[in-house]
Amino acid sequence: MPTHPLIESFARAGQGQVFAFFDGLDAAAQARLLAQAGEIDLVELARLNRSLLAAGTAGPDLAGLTPAPFEARPENGGDPAAWAAARATGEAALRAGRVAAFTVAGGQGTRLGFDGPKGSFPVTPVRRKTLFQVFAEKLLAAGRRFGRPVPWFIMTSHANHGATGAFFAEHGWFGLEAGQVHFFRQGRMPAVDFTGRILLEAPDTIALSPDGHGGSLRALERSGALDVMQRGGVDTLTYFQVDNPLVRCVDPEFIGWHLRRGAEMSAKMVPKSGPDEKLGHFCAQAGRPVVIEYSDLPAATQHEVDPKTGRLRFLAGSIGLHIFDTGFIRRLAGGEGGRALPFHRADKKIATIDAAGRPVRPDRPNGVKFELFVFDALPFARHPVIIETNRADDFSPVKNAAGPDSPATCRADQLRQSVRWLRAAGVAVAADPSGLPPFAVEFSPLWADDAEGFAAAWARLAVKPAVQDGLYLE
Ligand code: UTP
């Protein structure tokens, strides 16, 4: 007979199977299982089972979608004065210490298949620096430039939290100040079978997985990270994903657009490279921006061409770069005014056990995971702004082990950036028509973190080094 209140509430909710093996477990395993069960919000889960598991559950509402407006870059017709003003505002906010960086690093990285936190994956062409080191050096460079260290918040998962902290400690926090880097864990959600019953991974372990990058907003609140920001005078959070070493972690223009508009949340877009590129689309619906995933927007819509411009009608692709007002995150996390991010359903192969407790390794999806997406916050934000960015200087993610968005494509994009910077500084370098050089070079973000900075640093060199395979400047 169930004796623990948690066991009773699971039984009442029709989830008694979670404790099917409880009596046979030792005390430590029982405590572990109870602690995991305690993380689960049974009311929320019942609601998700009703809304997302029912047969024929509809996808997102696509009624009345139009392309979302965005601010074009000055070289693409945007107003140069507005961009210059944004830059000045962003720089002032950085000098005032109002801005923190935020990396979501709680994903499982299954496509890359790397053993360890994804941030510890080596990506740079010469020194093989890891993703975390690249971001750390960019943040160090920004701190030096603006005279204020940029606080860095990193969201981990239960699976990689310990290893992530240990990685930073092992590397002396990559030269960042003690207390500048803050780690916190995101929440987890249980996986369920297709009837909504919570799955066990082992007799003493519930099948729990991270609650999606959208879980970052409630985790920022629950973990106390927002309080730390508030005490430090930070009201603006610049968000990027752990897989993108090309990112401008701290971009004064982006920060400035966000602040000048009084935005609660902002986003960067890139023009899609073609109709089939797998990026979410910035759309507008009832006067608000929404992001519609590529898998949800009908192919015919993705192929529509704007007769006026000859470009794709739904051109604006989302690349996971955002800025948040911290007060907005707090209100959203608190669910004020019924505002809450929707969960999405993903059918997955979930390692589980059978009724006898034997492992089951399915070869087709046997259950459902629930995830929150960060871009779903956009329609709740007041005065949101979407700005265009130059993909080559902001986005080249490492998602897959091979093929598109892999270590190889990311390395090539880093090399192309180095070639552009060298050429802009007046150095003649060989490269193929795509801009890829026949050698590997690398510049530390501490030496230069944009084309202008590179040209200035290069000009200062009394003796210019030969641009050859293995050149590294720091
Ligand atoms: P992805 O959507 O690429 O997912 O995450 P992933 O889990 O890293 O990789 P796959 O799909 O298993 O191959 C985009 C960003 O969101 C973070 C990731 O760490 C990455 O920075 N993320 C994703 C989280 O922080 N938590 C999550 O629950 C999911």
Side-chain angles (χ1 to χ4, degrees):
M1 285 299 288
T3 51
H4 192 284
L6 210 49
I7 300 180
E8 286 167 15
S9 60
F10 272 65
R12 276 198 305 277
Q15 300 286 7
Q17 78 287 350
V18 165
F19 294 99
F21 302 94
F22 191 76
D23 291 341
L25 301 175
D26 63 30
Q30 287 186 340
R32 252 196 324 270
L33 185 60
L34 283 168
Q36 291 170 14
E39 281 181 44
I40 297 173
D41 179 339
L42 289 169
V43 176
E44 178 179 72
L45 185 66
R47 187 170 47 76
L48 295 177
N49 283 343
R50 274 195 308 277
S51 59
L52 293 176
L53 290 192
T57 303
D61 175 13
L62 303 179
L65 283 184
T66 54
F70 62 85
E71 298 298 335
R73 288 202 52 79
E75 63 271 24
N76 296 334
D79 173 10
W83 282 81
R87 183 176 180 147
T89 301
E91 289 176 347
L94 285 158
R95 279 196 294 272
R98 289 176 59 189
V99 184
F102 177 33
T103 308
V104 285
Q108 295 174 301
T110 36
R111 286 170 287 171
L112 184 62
F114 171 65
D115 190 21
K118 199 164 178 177
S120 59
F121 185 76
V123 279
T124 67
V126 176
R127 286 299 168 98
R128 312 288 299 137
K129 287 180 190 171
T130 62
L131 286 155
F132 280 139
Q133 182 170 358
V134 172
F135 304 139
E137 292 185 357
K138 289 186 179 193
L139 294 177
L140 260 177
R144 288 181 191 166
R145 184 189 300 187
F146 299 108
R148 292 288 282 257
V150 181
W152 188 14
F153 291 81
I154 300 174
M155 185 177 79
T156 61
S157 65
H158 283 68
N160 69 22
H161 187 76
T164 303
F167 186 73
F168 273 77
E170 227 172 85
H171 292 89
W173 282 267
F174 303 107
L176 295 163
E177 286 177 21
Q180 190 177 351
V181 191
H182 308 265
F183 302 97
F184 63 94
R185 282 191 316 190
Q186 71 178 111
R188 299 192 281 189
M189 287 294 290
V192 297
D193 68 14
F194 291 119
T195 68
R197 285 158 56 91
I198 296 170
L199 291 167
L200 286 177
E201 189 178 298
D204 62 349
T205 312
I206 298 173
L208 289 163
S209 50
D211 58 0
H213 42 62
S216 62
L217 302 182
R218 55 191 197 171
L220 279 162
E221 160 82 341
R222 282 179 190 165
S223 67
L226 290 181
D227 301 328
V228 174
M229 289 176 209
Q230 196 169 1
R231 284 197 295 275
V234 167
D235 62 7
T236 302
L237 200 57
T238 176
Y239 168 107
F240 55 92
Q241 304 188 330
V242 75
D243 50 26
N244 176 22
L246 223 53
V247 67
R248 303 187 65 190
C249 300
V250 173
D251 178 352
E253 288 173 337
F254 189 24
I255 295 164
W257 273 108
H258 170 87
L259 291 174
R260 292 177 76 86
R261 282 287 167 86
E264 287 187 317
M265 177 175 174
S266 302
K268 277 184 177 172
M269 62 72 80
V270 292
K272 280 180 64 177
S273 59
D276 299 319
E277 189 182 11
K278 293 181 173 172
L279 293 179
H281 301 80
F282 287 109
C283 303
Q285 194 172 43
R288 301 195 152 268
V290 289
V291 174
I292 304 289
E293 285 188 276
Y294 61 85
S295 46
D296 288 327
L297 199 64
T301 311
Q302 299 195 41
H303 281 254
E304 278 176 33
V305 171
D306 180 340
K308 282 209 286 288
T309 61
R311 301 172 92 188
L312 290 175
R313 184 161 170 257
F314 288 89
L315 183 69
S318 171
I319 52 173
L321 294 180
H322 302 290
I323 298 186
F324 291 94
D325 170 64
T326 52
F328 174 59
I329 298 175
R330 213 184 268 287
R331 286 201 303 282
L332 204 59
E336 186 201 86
R339 297 186 291 184
L341 302 192
F343 274 93
H344 296 255
R345 160 189 180 157
D347 294 8
K348 299 266 180 175
K349 292 181 266 189
I350 296 157
T352 183
I353 51 174
D354 64 16
R358 287 180 303 245
V360 176
R361 299 284 173 268
D363 51 16
R364 69 179 70 152
N366 60 326
V368 172
K369 290 185 179 181
F370 299 110
E371 281 197 330
L372 296 162
F373 296 160
V374 75
F375 49 72
D376 282 331
L378 202 52
F380 296 113
R382 282 194 286 257
H383 313 302
V385 56
I386 301 169
I387 68 163
E388 180 181 11
T389 190
N390 182 358
R391 177 194 297 250
D393 289 319
D394 232 351
F395 185 59
S396 184
V398 176
K399 296 274 187 203
N400 304 303
D405 296 342
S406 64
T409 57
C410 182
R411 178 179 188 275
D413 287 338
Q414 292 173 69
L415 291 173
R416 290 189 187 98
Q417 184 180 60
S418 297
V419 166
R420 288 194 305 279
W421 290 4
L422 281 160
R423 287 180 172 168
V427 185
V429 267
D432 74 8
S434 79
L436 188 64
F439 48 77
V441 290
E442 181 180 327
F443 312 123
S444 165
L446 293 166
W447 197 73
D449 63 355
D450 60 17
E452 279 168 32
F454 181 87
W458 187 264
R460 279 195 299 273
L461 286 176
V463 181
K464 313 287 187 223
V467 178
Q468 61 189 13
D469 197 38
L471 173 65
Y472 173 75
L473 294 175
E474 75 177 345

